[in-house]
Amino acid sequence: MKKKNKKLIDKKGLRMDGRKPDELRSVKLEVGILPNADGSAYIEMGKNKILAAVYGPKEMHPKHLARSDRMVLRCRYHMAPFSVQERKSPAPSRREVEISKVIRDSLVPAIFVENYPRTGIDLFIEVLQADGGTRCAGITAAALAIAEAGIPMRDLVVACAAGKVDETIVLDLMDTEDKVGSADVPVALMPNLNAITLLQMDGILNPDEFEEALNLALKGCKKIYEMQREALKTKYVNLKEVEEQ
Ligand code: ADP
């Protein structure tokens, strides 16, 4: 449930961290930072700091989980005990189990799973520091890690949330806005196929507000997608330069 009645937008229309309603937090993306993983990526989105690592495709273990017609994507979203102000138990919470599932479901449509029967890939998303919107930031980093692992994809997946605080629709909510605001709508998008792979809503919006929030989240996704492409290009330009030396 959302708590209301704390001022989140000042008289100038700016948010607590000085952002305009339609402004993203600063985003930093890096690809290929864990040499022992098949693919990896790191994202900073505002104060969020998240690592994504992929292993596979490899033979599925335990074998009874293998599917004869496709690859299985296993996903573990986990928040480190030190990722929030009060120590979080390292054991997986119900929230983490649910987020692991929605992240997996948002990524599977982008992967040619049918080309790799009986195999599995493991995706680990480790939240080192959390400040609202970690599922979205985790999806954005995970798609890069899967791409870096060389797993054929139909498209990248990029995610961003929009929501409502103080009667205003805002983009990319941080933790306080998420908790005190009245609604949060996380969205994941395959930007070239223009297909939404995740759409959730926590809180209450009327149909017009929902449409505005969805459109704003999609705009945010498209901006982050450009950064995703840059991060991938940077990784491969750097590799090419090393090869040429
Ligand atoms: P998301 O991170 O995708 O927005 P939620 O809406 O469930 O997912 O969580 C919002 C934020 O609440 C998180 O990003 C994090 O900053 C904070 N949070 C989540 N779990 C805890 C926890 N156990 N202790 C303190 N803060 C938490």
Side-chain angles (χ1 to χ4, degrees), residues 79 84 88 95 99 130-135 175 178-179 184:
M79 291 205 339
V84 284
K88 182 208 149 280
R95 173 181 169 273
I99 293 183
D131 188 34
T134 57
R135 81 193 62 200
D175 191 30
D178 186 326
K179 295 217 165 69
D184 178 32

Side-chain angles (χ1 to χ4, degrees), residues 1-6 8 95 132-133 135 161-166 170 173-186 200-205:
M1 265 310 264
K2 302 278 182 188
K3 294 178 222 154
K4 290 189 190 168
N5 299 332
K6 185 176 168 189
L8 294 172
R95 173 181 169 273
R135 81 193 62 200
K164 182 177 159 189
V165 300
D166 289 358
V170 299
L173 285 77
M174 57 174 175
D175 191 30
T176 316
E177 291 176 326
D178 186 326
K179 295 217 165 69
V180 185
S182 42
D184 178 32
V185 181
Q200 295 186 287
M201 184 165 98
D202 183 15
I204 296 171
L205 294 175

Side-chain angles (χ1 to χ4, degrees), residues 87-100:
R87 178 187 178 278
K88 182 208 149 280
S89 158
S93 61
R94 277 181 56 177
R95 173 181 169 273
E96 286 165 300
V97 172
E98 182 209 316
I99 293 183
S100 300

Side-chain angles (χ1 to χ4, degrees), residues 1-242:
M1 265 310 264
K2 302 278 182 188
K3 294 178 222 154
K4 290 189 190 168
N5 299 332
K6 185 176 168 189
K7 258 302 191 215
L8 294 172
I9 299 202
D10 69 14
K11 286 181 191 138
K12 290 185 196 153
L14 298 178
R15 294 152 73 179
M16 290 169 75
D17 55 2
R19 278 186 293 157
K20 294 183 200 130
D22 62 350
E23 209 175 320
L24 287 169
R25 290 176 281 187
S26 65
V27 178
K28 179 181 156 195
L29 283 164
E30 260 179 83
V31 178
I33 52 162
L34 301 173
N36 294 342
D38 293 318
S40 60
Y42 172 68
I43 183 166
E44 284 182 12
M45 193 165 185
K47 291 182 189 154
N48 289 316
K49 297 186 180 194
I50 302 171
L51 271 173
V54 167
Y55 295 87
K58 57 190 175 165
E59 199 178 325
M60 191 67 191
H61 285 292
K63 279 206 164 130
H64 70 268
L65 293 179
R67 305 299 292 259
S68 57
D69 58 345
R70 67 187 125 117
M71 167 206 284
V72 172
L73 171 62
R74 267 192 301 208
C75 171
R76 190 189 74 165
Y77 161 100
H78 180 248
M79 291 205 339
F82 49 81
S83 64
V84 284
Q85 265 181 358
E86 266 185 41
R87 178 187 178 278
K88 182 208 149 280
S89 158
S93 61
R94 277 181 56 177
R95 173 181 169 273
E96 286 165 300
V97 172
E98 182 209 316
I99 293 183
S100 300
K101 183 196 176 295
V102 299
I103 291 179
R104 186 193 70 212
D105 291 352
S106 74
L107 292 164
V108 165
I111 304 171
F112 287 99
V113 285
E114 61 280 7
N115 290 0
Y116 296 86
R118 299 183 193 286
T119 66
I121 51 175
D122 284 323
L123 165 66
F124 297 94
I125 296 178
E126 281 295 323
V127 180
L128 307 176
Q129 187 167 284
D131 188 34
T134 57
R135 81 193 62 200
C136 291
I139 289 168
T140 300
L144 286 176
I146 294 169
E148 205 234 340
I151 295 162
M153 297 172 84
R154 293 182 173 83
D155 200 349
L156 279 174
V157 183
V158 55
C160 185
K164 182 177 159 189
V165 300
D166 289 358
E167 300 306 314
T168 306
I169 301 297
V170 299
L171 183 62
D172 186 19
L173 285 77
M174 57 174 175
D175 191 30
T176 316
E177 291 176 326
D178 186 326
K179 295 217 165 69
V180 185
S182 42
D184 178 32
V185 181
V187 177
L189 175 74
M190 293 195 284
N192 294 295
L193 298 172
N194 204 22
I196 290 172
T197 60
L198 167 77
L199 179 57
Q200 295 186 287
M201 184 165 98
D202 183 15
I204 296 171
L205 294 175
N206 67 35
D208 290 342
E209 289 169 339
F210 173 75
E211 201 177 326
E212 194 184 337
L214 176 60
N215 287 333
L216 190 58
L218 290 172
K219 269 193 203 157
C221 286
K222 285 173 190 160
K223 282 189 195 152
I224 301 169
Y225 171 60
E226 292 308 321
M227 302 178 214
Q228 263 184 327
R229 281 174 45 134
E230 279 311 308
L232 269 177
K233 271 197 222 157
T234 306
K235 149 96 189 171
Y236 291 105
V237 168
N238 288 347
L239 266 185
K240 195 166 161 247
E241 279 167 7
V242 171

